Amino acid sequence: MAETFTPDNLIAGDFPLITDAITIASGGGVLTRGTVLGKITASGKYIKSLSGASDGSQTPAAILAEDVDATSADKPAVAYLTGEFNGAALVLGTAHTIATVKAAFRSLGIFIKTTLGA
């Protein structure tokens, strides 16, 4: 059975993409490609970045490169550490907006592009 490739438009430019292996913390649930991740200071593990958190994960640190299910156990994953991304394709955590993640990512070499009307 052949698989069909469906582009998700997450990548939005030719700025170099750098990825790295990371760990998604247990209890993080099912996360999809394009999820904005924050890094938990104490453990160094990643979860979906929520602006109201106080464990370090409130600050966007990476973008998930592949779907992962960390509902009941820590899971290895791949994350983008640099690149140009389509803001409309990002999965944002509670109280984050394209503007807040765009500002946080600039110093990391992650650039968020928006389209007119987005």
Side-chain angles (χ1 to χ4, degrees):
M1 180 176 182
E3 292 187 35
T4 303
F5 173 73
T6 305
D8 60 10
N9 297 316
L10 178 63
I11 308 302
D14 57 4
F15 190 84
L17 292 171
I18 296 177
T19 60
D20 200 5
I22 63 165
T23 300
I24 303 294
S26 178
V30 177
L31 302 177
T32 58
R33 173 177 158 85
T35 297
V36 173
L37 301 172
K39 187 175 185 180
I40 301 168
T41 304
S43 68
K45 297 175 186 175
Y46 290 79
I47 60 172
K48 186 175 191 177
S49 182
L50 306 173
S51 74
S54 59
D55 60 2
S57 67
Q58 69 274 13
T59 303
I63 296 173
L64 190 62
E66 58 188 14
D67 297 348
V68 65
D69 183 354
T71 301
S72 58
D74 288 354
K75 293 291 178 157
V78 175
Y80 294 109
L81 303 181
T82 68
E84 290 177 276
F85 300 91
N86 176 4
L90 296 178
V91 179
L92 304 176
T94 304
H96 274 305
T97 65
I98 295 299
T100 62
V101 298
K102 187 175 190 175
F105 276 146
R106 272 194 83 154
S107 66
L108 301 176
I110 295 177
F111 302 97
I112 307 303
K113 292 185 171 184
T114 54
T115 58
L116 294 177

